[in-house]
Amino acid sequence: MNKQQGAIGIFDSGYGGLTILKEIVNKLPQYNYIYLGDNARSPYGTRSFETVYQYTLQCVEWFFKQNCHLVILACNTASAKALKNIQQKNLPFIDADKRVLGVIRPTSEIIGNYSNTKHIGILATNGTVQSNSYVIEIEKFYPEVKIFQQACPMWVPLIENNEHENKGADFFVKEYTQALLKQNDKIDTVLLACTHYPLLLKKIKDHLPADTKIISQGEIVANSLANYLQRHTEIEMKCLKEHKIEFYTTDAVEDFNKHAATFYGKNINARHIDL
Ligand code: DGL
């Protein structure tokens, strides 16, 4: 293998990033991808800034050892709590030619276009809500838009434990969607600002008014990556194009394979890594 080239790294705390990878592979099937889920330490959403930063940095360094030149944090929590530090404090010392990108910026660039009332609801993990990243980013592109945030701390554990289609999940879906709607009755667009949440889409739909636009990030991130690679030929040239995808998890492979297929829509053969 030409060491100058490597796969595109896709990272999430667990399974959620697979909803993003799926759309990226649909849009850009020609590239090689390495997916890493830090399942052993997920969820990240309830952890401190410092912990999410350290965990994410470790994973990014692992991707670099696999010869990835470009890593996408397909995780809102890691994008909110670790991306800026990694880009500004670590990359210049590790390798200034490597790139790490997140999912908050590409989503913020486009989300304002979906809303007629200019009132947008954000459903996310505690960590993403507390970071205020969406409020700060969306304001840059759509100063006229009002943002209402609701943390949904029980959703990721429900999904990671494969309980999201069961009856018990309805209680927490109702709880958080109602809490969001109560904040303002003009909300016409709701962003699923956690890459796990598309798995709950059916139930979320059932609990929001029928005309609410519910936005998942997969396609948005895929389009933004395609655009990025077009604009940055120096990075694009370093991305292997052999249509190969490898999956890694920090937890048990058997569990990952079984569960990941639900997120990815295909059977997966993952390998275990220790960090
Ligand atoms: N899927 C992640 C996100 O987008 C992280 C969820 C978690 O680990 O808490 O926020």
Side-chain angles (χ1 to χ4, degrees):
M1 186 174 78
N2 180 357
K3 276 269 169 195
Q4 299 304 313
Q5 289 191 308
I8 298 173
I10 309 285
F11 169 71
D12 184 50
S13 60
Y15 301 106
L18 291 166
T19 64
I20 302 283
L21 177 66
K22 191 162 90 182
E23 299 298 336
I24 290 179
V25 174
N26 267 342
K27 175 94 191 166
L28 301 164
Q30 66 273 35
Y31 296 105
N32 289 20
Y33 298 96
I34 293 180
Y35 182 88
L36 172 61
D38 191 9
N39 299 76
R41 302 187 293 195
S42 108
Y44 278 16
T46 45
R47 297 191 192 276
S48 69
F49 267 81
E50 189 53 30
T51 303
V52 172
Y53 169 43
Q54 291 307 333
Y55 286 179
T56 307
L57 178 59
Q58 263 183 356
C59 294
V60 165
E61 285 174 330
W62 177 84
F63 278 112
F64 290 165
K65 285 195 197 114
Q66 312 313 305
N67 212 31
C68 297
H69 296 275
L70 171 63
V71 178
I72 312 290
L73 304 183
C75 172
N76 287 274
T77 311
S79 300
K81 290 184 159 186
L83 180 62
K84 204 174 257 166
N85 269 350
I86 292 175
Q87 285 174 333
Q88 292 174 358
K89 291 191 191 158
N90 304 104
L91 277 188
F93 297 100
I94 302 173
D95 183 343
D97 291 332
K98 304 266 191 201
R99 293 289 177 272
V100 181
L101 304 175
V103 289
I104 295 179
R105 171 92 185 200
T107 308
S108 301
E109 281 175 4
I110 202 159
I111 191 71
N113 297 342
Y114 291 94
S115 171
N116 295 322
T117 62
K118 303 299 168 200
H119 284 62
I120 297 178
I122 308 274
L123 297 170
T125 64
N126 262 330
T128 301
V129 169
Q130 277 163 16
S131 75
N132 230 16
S133 302
Y134 273 103
V135 176
I136 296 164
E137 285 299 316
I138 294 172
E139 146 94 330
K140 289 182 193 158
F141 301 101
Y142 304 96
E144 73 285 11
V145 165
K146 291 202 165 47
I147 303 296
F148 302 88
Q149 303 191 87
Q150 177 60 45
C152 313
M154 288 306 292
W155 285 5
V156 170
L158 281 169
I159 295 165
E160 290 277 318
N161 288 293
N162 217 4
E163 289 289 334
H164 54 283
E165 284 180 350
N166 296 341
K167 272 213 160 283
D170 286 294
F171 176 84
F172 286 107
V173 171
K174 186 170 175 199
E175 183 93 350
Y176 301 142
T177 48
Q178 296 296 308
L180 177 69
L181 293 176
K182 263 191 211 144
Q183 294 186 43
N184 194 290
D185 59 8
K186 288 203 197 122
I187 295 171
D188 69 345
T189 303
V190 171
L191 172 66
L192 305 186
C194 169
T195 54
H196 281 66
Y197 296 174
L199 271 279
L200 275 172
L201 182 61
K202 209 175 139 302
K203 286 192 191 289
I204 294 170
K205 257 191 193 150
D206 289 346
H207 288 92
L208 287 173
D211 55 352
T212 307
K213 286 179 208 141
I214 306 172
I215 311 297
S216 302
Q217 296 174 289
E219 252 185 81
I220 295 174
V221 175
N223 289 338
S224 161
L225 176 60
N227 186 277
Y228 178 89
L229 291 171
Q230 253 172 23
R231 286 183 290 116
H232 294 272
T233 46
E234 75 288 2
I235 301 290
E236 201 280 337
M237 277 161 39
K238 294 180 187 166
C239 298
L240 277 171
K241 296 174 202 70
E242 303 161 334
H243 309 255
K244 280 192 193 153
I245 311 176
E246 290 172 21
F247 297 89
Y248 294 86
T249 174
T250 53
D251 208 346
V253 166
E254 299 72 26
D255 271 1
F256 186 87
N257 288 346
K258 207 165 91 197
H259 203 174
T262 329
F263 287 77
Y264 193 59
K266 279 185 193 160
N267 285 336
I268 279 168
N269 237 331
R271 280 178 254 179
H272 172 84
I273 57 152
D274 285 315
L275 286 173

